[in-house]
Amino acid sequence: MQWRALVLGLVLLRLGLHGVLWLVFGLGPSMGFYQRFPLSFGFQRLKGPDGFASHDSGPAGRPGEPSGPSWLQPPGPGAAGARSRAPRRPRPGVCGSAHWGYLLGCRGRGPDEYEKRYSSAFPPQLRAQMRDLARGMFVFGYDNYMAHAFPEDELNPIHCRGRGPDRGDPSNLNINDVLGNYSLTLVDALDTLAIMGNSSEFQKAVKLVINTVSFDKDSTVQVFEATIRVLGSLLSAHRIITDSKQPFGDMTIEDYDNELLHMARDLAVRLLPAFENTKTGIPYPRVNLKTGVPPDSNNETCTAGAGSLLVEFGILSRLLGDSTFEWVARRAVKALWNLRSNDTGLLGNVVNIQTGHWVGKQSGLGAGLDSFYEYLLKSYILFGEKEDLEMFNAAYQSIQNYLRRGREACNEGEGDPPLYVNVNMFSGQLMNTWIDSLQAFFPGLQVLIGDVEDAICLHAFYYAIWKRYGALPERYNWQLQAPDVLFYPLRPELVESTYLLYQATKNPFYLHVGMDILQSLEKYTKVKCGYATLHHVIDKSKEDRMESFFLSETCKYLYLLFDEENPVHKSGTRYMFTTEGHIISVDRHLRESPWKEFFSEEGEQDQEGKPVHRTKSHDVKVINASSNCNRVPDERRYSLPLKSIYMRQIDQMVGLI
């Protein structure tokens, strides 16, 4: 009998230890992402749908259920129909297992505590303090750039000196794709100065750009980066200067003769060789600003890089009355669109510009594809071309059908909460179990089309990752629940979505999110002469680089989040932001296109001269962009879930309890 008692005692001791570890450290197989919580600390190797051995995952569910999270499972037969199934609703007052708050809320944490922690009123004094902190962050970075780095492209904030192209190593694309020896950080920051109301510094900076910046440089740059960072900023600043209403204060320049517009045209002309001598019309990824396409140029480019030029090139064409720039950009978009899968409607992430063959077959929302989707919608908002909206709606439907996994509703129903995964463009099958930080832009895009509920849920997932690390790792493995790529280069995507969700819901939760992000940046990234890239989000080691988008986007969106009285917020939907965060006024002038007939799709042919085969249009409701962008959802509609369920979701994700 003694040995039986001993065995029983050991079993009870083990169970007790497991229980203590669970309660104290939040250990276990799920960290809150699974909806079943068996007391097991063993991890199993799972097989993904494509047969690859996936990373360690949680334990299997009940008999007859798939192992691991439902994100690993394909959407199932009738993917489109799967999106329309009604979720199972729990009984009123019952904390069902499908709720994010199940584990937390049913263990004694009521909504009152979450309201206090996350959704309490944000006092005007605190908002003003955060606005000033965001402005101070920009000023500290900008002033140090001007003092230690100008006229070079970027600031090395740790050693307080400038950085330009890496002439010694042309293969260093991480640097050379972006830095063109044209005072990038100053150019990229122009409209941020205006939005913050600093007219004297804006005027000084514009004159510096006019007098010192030239594009007649022996620099090989990426067409995409030069377009969104430099061309877009020049156009934005030009529009601010020439705006008769001057909403940001007096930003006019004495004797201004459209110099920034002329500079924008000069740069765009130097980028045009990228569109020549390609059999598909899809541009080369890089050009030399003096000599054109390099002889050894790569024939492969990413979808976002080639297909996200239409906003800037279209604005330039319509301001100049010259169709050339819009025509080449629109031709590239159509060429990519015609290469999408006939079965899924999805696009890959890397394509050969000569053959039109997909080199990278991964379809997702992050790097390689992100801004392609963004610019389909924003091109329609700016230019009013109906085909842009039709392409966006078809693409969005395919995304919902094949990339979106998990249950239908964010906060109720069976299965795991929704997540957008990376799949094979032809089969829709899962390709890997990671997402990247660029995907955090997508909730903001969903706000623009009125899909606020889904935006709230996806934003919460990325904010949960931020809460855990104090930054957003470049790549996060949602099955391992750990970073795959550990650096954080001060990216703005999560801040952008936070800002747009606040504008849509007016819920103070997003002000708390912004304050959390601000404080994290101050705590972990501020150095002697600016703000530095985090090399490792866990140990917080740093790299000596402050990319230009930190001033042009991250600081701008944080400032606007807290500056309720900013003219941007007093103009309805008059403004739109480019993918680099440059502000563009939306008006009728940009919707006037005397060359519209040249963009007709009739008689389109592929690169072999054969008629283009098109799939039938998806049954997508055409969204009225003007009405949806004007719409501000009822605050009360989003008040309750944000004050209780979504806040518990954050805590459950990061294992704070």
Side-chain angles (χ1 to χ4, degrees):
M1 295 297 293
Q2 289 182 346
W3 68 269
R4 291 182 179 177
L6 180 61
V7 170
L8 180 61
L10 289 172
V11 170
L12 292 175
L13 178 61
R14 182 179 181 183
L15 290 174
L17 286 172
H18 281 188
V20 170
L21 287 171
W22 185 284
L23 293 172
V24 175
F25 298 106
L27 296 175
S30 66
M31 204 186 73
F33 286 3
Y34 296 74
Q35 298 308 303
R36 297 174 289 277
F37 305 94
L39 282 173
S40 171
F41 292 93
F43 293 90
Q44 299 178 4
R45 299 288 289 179
L46 298 181
K47 292 267 187 176
D50 285 336
F52 64 86
S54 62
H55 299 291
D56 292 325
S57 179
R62 294 185 293 268
E65 294 186 342
S67 296
S70 61
W71 303 328
L72 287 168
Q73 309 305 320
R83 291 278 77 86
S84 62
R85 289 198 296 268
R88 181 179 298 176
R89 296 181 177 274
R91 299 188 304 277
V94 175
C95 185
S97 62
H99 280 71
W100 276 109
Y102 172 62
L103 184 60
L104 303 177
C106 290
R107 290 201 322 194
R109 286 232 165 192
D112 290 344
E113 183 166 349
Y114 286 95
E115 289 190 23
K116 291 178 183 177
R117 288 179 60 186
Y118 293 108
S119 294
S120 58
F122 209 85
Q125 299 88 343
L126 182 58
R127 174 178 285 191
Q129 181 183 344
M130 292 300 105
R131 179 199 63 207
D132 293 344
L133 181 59
R135 181 196 283 120
M137 181 178 288
F138 171 83
V139 170
F140 185 68
Y142 177 83
D143 285 352
N144 273 288
Y145 166 78
M146 295 304 298
H148 301 292
F150 177 81
E152 295 195 69
D153 288 306
E154 283 183 352
L155 170 67
N156 289 354
I158 296 176
H159 289 97
C160 303
R161 53 177 176 249
R163 179 201 296 265
D166 187 350
R167 302 297 190 190
D169 183 9
S171 66
N172 185 0
L173 299 181
N174 185 44
I175 296 297
N176 293 329
D177 271 358
V178 178
L179 310 189
N181 194 20
Y182 38 41
S183 302
L184 174 63
T185 296
L186 175 63
V187 175
D188 214 358
L190 289 177
D191 64 310
T192 308
L193 289 166
I195 285 173
M196 292 185 177
N198 192 341
S199 58
S200 60
E201 190 60 35
F202 174 79
Q203 292 163 346
K204 177 183 174 182
V206 168
K207 291 175 182 177
L208 265 178
V209 169
I210 292 172
N211 294 327
T212 67
V213 174
S214 168
F215 301 120
D216 189 25
K217 299 290 177 67
D218 185 19
S219 298
T220 299
V221 296
Q222 192 183 88
V223 175
F224 170 72
E225 295 289 358
T227 297
I228 67 169
R229 299 201 198 201
V230 183
L231 181 61
S233 186
L234 293 172
L235 293 170
S236 175
H238 169 74
R239 299 276 285 175
I240 290 170
I241 294 167
T242 57
D243 188 340
S244 60
K245 297 182 180 179
Q246 290 295 301
F248 302 110
D250 184 8
M251 300 293 163
T252 58
I253 305 294
E254 187 177 357
D255 299 323
Y256 180 70
D257 191 24
N258 298 324
E259 285 91 346
L260 296 185
L261 181 60
H262 297 318
M263 291 179 69
R265 182 186 181 280
D266 177 42
L267 175 60
V269 168
R270 294 174 187 273
L271 300 178
L272 283 180
F275 297 87
E276 300 171 2
N277 301 316
T278 77
K279 295 179 180 178
T280 62
I282 301 170
Y284 285 93
R286 298 172 184 86
V287 296
N288 183 286
L289 296 177
K290 264 187 179 290
T291 62
V293 176
D296 59 347
S297 186
N298 192 349
N299 283 329
E300 297 174 2
T301 190
C302 71
T303 303
S308 304
L309 310 172
L310 183 53
V311 165
E312 289 83 2
F313 274 49
I315 292 171
L316 181 62
S317 273
R318 294 177 188 231
L319 291 180
L320 293 174
D322 180 352
S323 65
T324 303
F325 308 102
E326 181 174 352
W327 186 83
V328 295
R330 191 171 291 279
R331 181 182 62 172
V333 171
K334 291 181 180 179
L336 288 164
W337 184 248
N338 290 333
L339 295 174
R340 70 196 187 279
S341 167
N342 286 333
D343 296 322
T344 66
L346 297 173
L347 294 89
N349 59 346
V350 180
V351 67
N352 186 298
I353 66 171
Q354 301 296 351
T355 66
H357 295 150
W358 289 104
V359 180
K361 299 176 178 61
Q362 176 176 299
S363 190
L365 299 179
L369 276 157
D370 50 353
S371 54
F372 176 80
Y373 300 124
E374 178 185 2
Y375 269 22
L376 289 178
L377 179 62
K378 290 185 175 180
S379 294
Y380 171 72
I381 294 172
L382 272 181
F383 308 132
E385 301 290 345
K386 198 171 182 180
E387 64 177 341
D388 295 335
L389 180 62
E390 291 170 349
M391 284 188 288
F392 173 79
N393 278 318
Y396 193 72
Q397 187 64 49
S398 294
I399 288 168
Q400 297 300 312
N401 289 347
Y402 294 99
L403 272 60
R404 190 182 190 274
R405 302 291 171 88
R407 58 177 176 258
E408 173 66 20
C410 175
N411 191 56
E412 56 192 12
E414 298 296 328
D416 297 293
L419 183 71
Y420 292 85
V421 299
N422 299 319
V423 303
N424 182 289
M425 65 171 289
F426 295 109
S427 66
Q429 295 296 308
L430 187 71
M431 288 193 71
N432 50 57
T433 60
W434 52 260
I435 46 87
D436 65 58
S437 63
L438 291 171
Q439 187 179 321
F441 92 98
F442 198 66
L445 189 64
Q446 291 181 306
V447 168
L448 293 184
I449 61 170
D451 197 354
V452 180
E453 291 282 3
D454 217 43
I456 288 170
C457 194
L458 187 59
H459 173 274
F461 175 79
Y462 283 95
Y463 177 51
I465 300 172
W466 183 285
K467 286 287 287 183
R468 183 173 187 185
Y469 300 107
L472 205 57
E474 188 72 353
R475 185 180 290 178
Y476 183 82
N477 191 304
W478 47 258
Q479 188 181 18
L480 287 178
Q481 295 159 19
D484 272 356
V485 180
L486 288 152
F487 70 89
Y488 168 64
L490 308 174
R491 289 200 188 279
E493 284 76 16
L494 178 61
V495 184
E496 176 187 7
S497 289
T498 301
Y499 164 65
L500 291 172
L501 272 165
Y502 177 70
Q503 291 303 313
T505 66
K506 297 299 181 184
N507 194 291
F509 165 66
Y510 294 106
L511 299 177
H512 287 278
V513 173
M515 181 169 66
D516 189 14
I517 293 173
L518 258 174
Q519 291 171 341
S520 295
L521 290 170
E522 282 288 316
K523 181 178 180 180
Y524 298 124
T525 71
K526 190 172 185 178
V527 293
K528 182 180 179 181
C529 293
Y531 294 84
T533 291
L534 286 182
H535 175 73
H536 196 294
V537 297
I538 297 175
D539 66 24
K540 302 301 187 290
S541 56
K542 300 174 182 64
E543 295 180 16
D544 197 9
R545 187 178 187 187
M546 187 179 81
E547 292 222 37
S548 67
F549 53 65
F550 177 69
L551 299 182
S552 72
E553 296 185 82
T554 308
C555 292
K556 178 185 294 164
Y557 288 127
L558 283 169
Y559 179 81
L560 286 172
L561 175 64
F562 296 107
D563 189 20
E564 189 74 7
E565 300 304 312
N566 196 278
V568 172
H569 305 139
K570 301 298 182 182
S571 61
T573 58
R574 191 179 165 216
Y575 295 104
M576 187 195 79
F577 295 95
T578 70
T579 194
E580 183 72 7
H582 296 306
I583 194 166
I584 297 294
S585 56
V586 180
D587 56 40
R588 291 181 180 178
H589 179 63
L590 292 179
R591 290 196 162 212
E592 295 172 358
S593 172
W595 50 81
K596 186 173 182 179
E597 63 272 14
F598 295 117
F599 299 148
S600 172
E601 295 186 10
E602 293 301 321
E604 276 191 9
Q605 297 178 336
D606 64 14
Q607 60 268 25
E608 297 178 356
K610 299 176 181 178
V612 170
H613 171 66
R614 293 183 173 278
T615 55
K616 293 182 179 180
S617 297
H618 296 277
D619 294 324
V620 186
K621 181 180 180 181
V622 176
I623 301 167
N624 184 325
S626 58
S627 63
N628 271 279
C629 291
N630 279 322
R631 183 183 69 169
V632 176
D634 186 351
E635 249 178 79
R636 295 169 296 178
R637 180 179 176 190
Y638 301 102
S639 174
L640 178 59
L642 280 172
K643 285 185 177 178
S644 55
I645 297 165
Y646 291 108
M647 303 316 104
R648 297 173 194 167
Q649 171 182 347
I650 303 299
D651 268 357
Q652 184 179 356
M653 279 180 166
V654 297
L656 296 179
I657 304 300

